[in-house]
Amino acid sequence: MSFSDILLLMFTAILVENFIFAKFYGCCPFLGVSDKPDTALGMGMAVTFVMTLSGAATYLVYHLLLVPFHLEYLKTVAFILVIAALVQFIEMFLKRFVPALYASLGIYLPLITTNCAVLSAALLAVQNDLNFIGSVAFGFSSALGFTLAIVVFAGVRARLQFAEPPRAFRGFPITLIAAGLLAMAFAGFSGVRL
Amino acid sequence: MRDGTMMKTVVRVTWRLLAVCLVVAALTAAVFAVTKEPIESGERARKEEAMRLFFPELSTYAEEKTTASGVNALYLVKDKDGGALGWCVDFSGNSDYGGEVAMMIGVSLEGKVTGLQVISHSETFIDRYLDKSGCYTGISAARGSDLSAGATLSYNAVRNAIDAVEQMGLGGVK
Amino acid sequence: MKGFLRQLKEGILDHNPTLVQLLGMCPTLATTTSVKNAIGMGLAATVVLIFSNLFISLLRKFIPKEARIAGFIVIISGFVTMVELLMKAFFYSLYQSLGIFIPLIVVNCIILARAEAYASKNKPLPSAVDGLAMGLGFTFALLLVSTVREIVGNGTFLGVSIFGKGYAPALLFVMPAGAFLTLGFVIAGVQKVRAVREERARAQARANEETKEATV
């Protein structure tokens, strides 16, 4: 893959094929953690870290372990194990070196393991036959797209707190509708081709 | 003393997890063994069906050697008298970021691409841009830009596939 | 038997994993463009739920407490892979339509949540029933959302045209934005229904209190 291919891949992953607004990967934490812009940014960075590393790790596991032994069908199991291990490692790392972030992320940190975004990025990289650099770049930029979505949305939600929707809409429903409007905005990017 | 119990815990946890992993892996392998044949015969049937769409008189097909990239297989299609009808190219296109698109491309005896069918795709919005049997109707539809938003990525795949096949220079068969 | 029926009712209605517990958002938003896909996804997830709950419950004393999440994940992903292979072999068109969301059942929060909250603490049979109940609840939620999206956004239901040729579908509903909006309104509706029922229950309780005081 040439350098411009990689750039194109990244641009598309962030805007055109945004993991949340176009593909829905990573919704649970998106709808859960996006309350405050600071936590959102922290979550985004943690996810970016995990997804970049997992892009590398899953590529290696797939091509060096699964393919030679014709065990491709075990990729879901293998990938999720790799991701769980990575998250565990990052948890220990943050607890030791960045305790403030560790505390503010709370339960959402171990939940990165079940974040669809991480597993999807790994599976899609294999599906699209990306090489090592492509895999890492894809993980990284999809995560950036996720972070962009989550931070923008946190800003929206901060404003939402001062609105007074009908009782039935309070809480989750109005959040979803706000997300829907944002998704419409992002839909404007589809069809963009460099 | 503390180290001893800590070590015991790690060992216990590890071997139990490993045992669970092995049991799960064994079960999965069993299901894999059972489904291998149906999956493969399903793939063969789908490919043949696609070939039949371009050449209704298809009776047999013979695989030919080719080194063109992206091509999984090149088949010379024959009718029941052994006369050549054309070629079918089993092509795997990368739709850039949306997933691998497996296609069957029909090529006439003059080497021109006459049709294209998507055999497998992984984009859930693509359905609305294919007709009932999964064909992009005619080359102009594939080249035109009426494949919008949700399918732009496959438009690339289609275009690449057609270009690749036309570059193969098939044509002029005995 | 009564206990099992109650479990089923709670899974589908009172404790619906998606509409009440607000779990499993990803697939609810992504696979509800058509009723057929929604049902397919719901049933696939239900199968995984039943078997993983069953298996985890059977092994609940064996899986080490300290690494139980990892253990659950291995078991869940194993069953998801099995379901994926079976679908590829016997239900290919559904396998094609659902695409990447089949392996993504692994990270469906519902399954992990039930493993942790129920299967690891209860006997196998109730756990399997719980899996069935929650799975059906999930399928029900998917059905609600997909019905709206397919009818309004495509003019069809299960592929059958409802409004005839003249209907120009509101494409928004089969796009990502429409998913968020539809789910938002559906959950708002659910919350409204629950609020009304709670209010009625409270009014009933108050009325009972008053009659009790009156008779004293």
Side-chain angles (χ1 to χ4, degrees):
Chain A
M1 286 185 86
S2 72
F3 188 61
S4 62
D5 283 338
I6 305 243
L7 273 185
L8 193 53
L9 176 76
M10 293 177 70
F11 178 78
T12 310
I14 298 178
L15 287 178
V16 182
E17 290 268 288
N18 184 286
F19 256 37
I20 294 195
F21 291 122
K23 310 220 108 172
F24 300 118
Y25 310 138
C27 276
C28 290
F30 168 70
L31 294 166
V33 169
S34 47
D35 282 70
K36 298 184 274 292
D38 296 329
T39 326
L41 188 59
M43 167 60 122
M45 294 199 308
V47 168
T48 307
F49 192 54
V50 173
M51 281 175 73
T52 312
L53 286 181
S54 102
T58 52
Y59 177 88
L60 292 172
V61 166
Y62 188 75
H63 285 100
L64 298 180
L65 198 63
L66 295 179
V67 171
F69 290 101
H70 296 294
L71 292 172
E72 291 93 335
Y73 65 95
L74 284 181
K75 65 181 186 290
T76 311
V77 182
F79 286 1
I80 195 75
L81 279 176
V82 167
I83 293 169
L86 264 178
V87 172
Q88 187 69 41
F89 165 69
I90 288 172
E91 227 184 314
M92 298 195 294
F93 178 81
L94 280 185
K95 192 168 180 182
R96 177 98 195 281
F97 294 108
V98 196
L101 183 58
Y102 177 81
S104 73
L105 283 177
I107 191 171
Y108 289 106
L109 187 51
L111 280 184
I112 295 181
T113 311
T114 55
N115 183 333
C116 320
V118 193
L119 184 58
S120 306
L123 289 173
L124 281 175
V126 163
Q127 205 175 54
N128 295 337
D129 221 6
L130 298 177
N131 61 12
F132 184 75
I133 308 271
S135 213
V136 175
F138 184 64
F140 178 67
S141 26
S142 311
L144 281 188
F146 172 81
T147 307
L148 175 67
I150 208 176
V151 167
V152 167
F153 200 57
V156 169
R157 282 184 87 171
R159 294 302 215 82
L160 261 184
Q161 280 178 346
F162 301 109
E164 278 193 30
R167 185 86 48 74
F169 281 86
R170 301 249 171 100
F172 218 65
I174 195 68
T175 307
L176 282 170
I177 294 181
L181 294 174
L182 261 179
M184 278 200 256
F186 269 77
F189 284 114
S190 65
V192 171
R193 291 178 58 225
L194 294 177
Chain B
M1 190 58 199
R2 259 190 76 202
D3 278 8
T5 38
M6 185 57 193
M7 195 56 199
K8 271 176 78 179
T9 315
V10 169
V11 168
R12 176 174 60 94
V13 168
T14 311
W15 96 258
R16 282 198 184 183
L17 264 186
L18 228 65
V20 171
C21 282
L22 284 174
V23 172
V24 169
L27 275 176
T28 314
V31 172
F32 178 71
V34 165
T35 55
K36 196 160 183 283
E37 182 49 43
I39 291 179
E40 281 175 10
S41 65
E43 300 278 350
R44 276 195 303 265
R46 273 183 292 276
K47 289 194 177 154
E48 202 174 297
E49 206 180 289
M51 289 196 261
R52 214 172 278 277
L53 262 174
F54 304 129
F55 304 109
E57 309 90 24
L58 175 152
S59 174
T60 59
Y61 52 92
E63 187 162 347
E64 296 201 339
K65 289 219 177 313
T66 175
T67 48
S69 79
V71 176
N72 295 337
L74 172 66
Y75 301 108
L76 178 61
V77 175
K78 300 187 182 152
D79 63 24
K80 61 181 181 336
D81 304 313
L85 294 168
W87 287 272
C88 278
V89 182
D90 178 353
F91 191 82
S92 279
N94 267 340
S95 81
D96 297 329
Y97 325 105
E100 193 187 76
V101 190
M103 305 173 251
M104 190 63 83
I105 302 174
V107 183
S108 72
L109 287 170
E110 294 80 37
K112 305 228 67 171
V113 175
T114 54
L116 182 152
Q117 173 164 11
V118 177
I119 321 184
S120 79
H121 58 76
S122 40
E123 290 158 42
T124 37
F125 290 104
I126 192 73
D127 297 11
R128 50 180 60 245
Y129 300 104
L130 304 172
D131 71 20
K132 273 207 247 325
S133 51
C135 287
Y136 288 102
T137 41
I139 308 303
S140 54
R143 286 228 158 101
S145 50
D146 58 303
L147 294 180
S148 57
T152 12
L153 302 177
S154 278
Y155 164 72
N156 250 339
V158 168
R159 200 185 61 182
N160 291 339
I162 296 176
D163 289 345
V165 168
E166 291 196 338
Q167 273 175 12
M168 281 170 74
L170 300 167
V173 149
K174 49 268 185 225
Chain C
M1 190 54 183
K2 256 189 108 176
F4 293 148
L5 283 178
R6 190 168 43 85
Q7 263 187 296
L8 283 178
K9 173 175 171 275
E10 281 180 2
I12 301 179
L13 296 174
D14 312 311
H15 293 152
N16 186 299
T18 306
L19 300 175
V20 175
Q21 298 184 53
L22 305 178
L23 298 170
M25 292 288 125
C26 284
T28 310
L29 293 165
T31 58
T32 44
T33 46
S34 74
V35 176
K36 179 171 150 236
N37 285 354
I39 297 182
M41 169 52 100
L43 292 180
T46 305
V47 170
V48 175
L49 253 175
I50 296 177
F51 281 101
S52 72
N53 265 16
L54 185 63
F55 211 61
I56 289 173
S57 174
L58 283 170
L59 293 178
R60 70 188 182 283
K61 305 229 168 77
F62 185 73
I63 301 175
K65 199 166 51 70
E66 299 85 345
R68 66 185 187 285
I69 301 286
F72 296 161
I73 287 183
V74 168
I75 294 174
I76 295 172
S77 60
F79 281 111
V80 169
T81 307
M82 289 184 238
V83 166
E84 185 182 356
L85 287 170
L86 288 168
M87 284 182 79
K88 194 170 180 184
F90 303 115
F91 299 102
Y92 192 77
S93 72
L94 192 60
Y95 170 83
Q96 246 184 337
S97 327
L98 292 177
I100 199 175
F101 285 96
I102 302 178
L104 281 184
I105 296 178
V106 174
V107 290
N108 185 326
C109 322
I110 300 179
I111 309 190
L112 201 60
R114 291 328 284 173
E116 167 77 349
Y118 199 90
S120 57
K121 302 181 177 131
N122 287 280
K123 298 216 186 86
L125 194 52
S127 297
V129 174
D130 178 85
L132 178 65
M134 291 294 152
L136 288 179
F138 177 60
T139 310
F140 176 60
L142 290 179
L143 195 60
L144 276 180
V145 176
S146 64
T147 304
V148 173
R149 290 183 77 193
E150 189 178 346
I151 291 185
V152 179
N154 208 30
T156 63
F157 184 77
L158 280 174
V160 175
S161 178
I162 305 230
F163 300 114
K165 284 212 162 90
Y167 183 70
L171 271 180
L172 178 70
F173 279 87
V174 289
M175 294 179 66
F180 283 111
L181 294 174
T182 309
L183 186 60
F185 277 93
V186 167
I187 294 186
V190 168
Q191 289 192 174
K192 178 82 176 158
V193 166
R194 294 179 73 213
V196 164
R197 289 173 82 197
E198 262 178 50
E199 186 53 45
R200 271 206 211 121
R202 253 174 294 171
Q204 186 68 34
R206 256 174 297 166
N208 291 344
E209 276 300 305
E210 279 159 24
T211 43
K212 250 202 247 163
E213 285 178 24
T215 54
V216 156

